[in-house]
Amino acid sequence: MTIPRKRGRPMGTAPNREHDQRLLRQAVRNLIFGLSPNATGAFRSLLDEDDPEFPAVLRRLQRQWQQHGEQYLEEARRDAFAQRWLFDADQLEKASPEFSRVVDTFAASSIGQAVLRRYGQDGMPADPLSLGIVTLWDEIVRHSAIGPLHAEELFKQAYAGWSATGLEPDEAFLRRFAELCLAQADRLKTHADASAGNGNSKQDHVSAAVQREVHDDGR
C-alpha cells in the first residue's frame, strides 16, 4: 500500500523560521530588561513599520508568542539566572581566590553535589552562590574539616579508626601527629600571608577571620 505524500512544505522548514526565532529572542530580552511593556511593543520596536511586510510579520510573531511565549520567557529567565551566578563567581575569585577554591572544591565533591541538589529543583543542583555566602559557608563547615567547629568530633572519629586491632594510639604517636598538624597549619598560614603580601587577595585563607566575616554579613 502506497501512502500518499502530503502536499505542502515539510514541517519545521517554514521560510521565516530562523528570522522569526531571532526576533522572538530579541523581544524576550527587551521584556526581561524592561525595555518594552509587552510582547507586541517589543515586536514593534524591532520591526520597520514602513515595511510593507510589517503587518504580516507582526501577526505571525504574535501567533507564535501566543503559542510559545511562556517557554521563551522561562528559558530567558534561566539563562539570566545562570549568568548572574557566573558573574558572582568571577567576582568572588578576584576578591578571595582561596575561598573561591574552597567553594569550587566543595561543589565538585559528591557530598557537595548532594547538598546542592537539596537546594536545587527537578533533581538539578543549585549553583553554590545562589545559597548566599552565609548558608553556603555553614554547609561547607558542616560537611568539611574546616574551622574549629568540627575538629573535636572529627578527632574522635579519627582516634577510633587509627587502629584496626583495638589498641589505642600511644603517646609517641599522638605527639608526633600533633607536630605534623602544627607544621601543616604553619604552612597554610605562610601561604596565606604570602598571598596577602602580594596583593592577590585581602584575605586568601579560609580561617577564623573568614568565619567572623561571613557571620557578620549574616547579621
Side-chain angles (χ1 to χ4, degrees):
M1 178 179 177
T2 302
I3 299 177
R5 295 179 59 185
K6 291 184 179 180
R7 299 180 61 185
R9 198 178 289 110
M11 291 184 63
T13 61
N16 300 304
R17 183 181 182 85
E18 184 176 344
H19 176 259
D20 289 354
Q21 291 292 315
R22 184 170 62 254
L23 289 173
L24 286 164
R25 286 192 294 269
Q26 291 174 339
V28 168
R29 283 197 293 270
N30 285 0
L31 290 171
I32 291 291
F33 291 108
L35 301 178
S36 299
N38 50 48
T40 296
F43 299 148
R44 288 183 177 277
S45 70
L46 296 170
L47 298 172
D48 181 2
E49 297 195 26
D50 294 329
D51 188 335
E53 296 293 323
F54 170 78
V57 176
L58 180 60
R59 286 195 298 270
R60 191 169 67 237
L61 292 174
Q62 288 173 324
R63 285 196 301 271
Q64 294 189 53
W65 185 260
Q66 288 177 348
Q67 295 175 356
H68 307 294
E70 283 303 318
Q71 178 184 339
Y72 284 118
L73 283 172
E74 180 59 30
E75 290 174 355
R77 292 189 187 103
R78 284 200 302 267
D79 290 343
F81 199 65
Q83 289 297 321
R84 173 188 172 183
W85 303 127
L86 289 175
F87 174 80
D88 285 355
D90 181 64
Q91 294 301 305
L92 178 63
E93 201 281 331
K94 292 176 181 176
S96 181
E98 181 61 19
F99 187 35
S100 178
R101 182 194 66 80
V102 169
V103 170
D104 291 343
T105 301
F106 177 74
S109 69
S110 58
I111 291 177
Q113 285 288 299
V115 170
L116 295 174
R117 275 195 293 272
R118 292 208 311 267
Y119 288 93
Q121 293 181 345
D122 301 324
M124 296 297 294
D127 187 281
L129 295 182
S130 70
L131 276 61
I133 293 297
V134 173
T135 300
L136 175 60
W137 179 249
D138 286 345
E139 291 289 0
I140 290 174
V141 170
R142 186 175 296 114
H143 297 91
S144 310
I146 290 180
L149 301 180
H150 261 176
E152 187 172 337
E153 177 185 350
L154 293 179
F155 178 79
K156 291 178 181 178
Q157 294 176 10
Y159 189 91
W162 269 329
S163 176
T165 65
L167 297 174
E168 283 191 281
D170 62 10
E171 179 183 348
F173 173 91
L174 291 174
R175 291 190 182 280
R176 181 56 184 155
F177 188 86
E179 291 171 356
L180 293 171
C181 288
L182 290 173
Q184 181 63 20
D186 287 341
R187 283 192 289 271
L188 291 173
K189 184 177 186 303
T190 299
H191 169 72
D193 290 345
S195 297
N198 290 334
N200 292 332
S201 172
K202 292 181 180 178
Q203 183 172 1
D204 224 13
H205 177 54
V206 180
S207 61
V210 172
Q211 296 179 57
R212 287 196 298 272
E213 177 183 343
V214 168
H215 289 289
D216 285 346
D217 289 342
R219 291 195 293 272

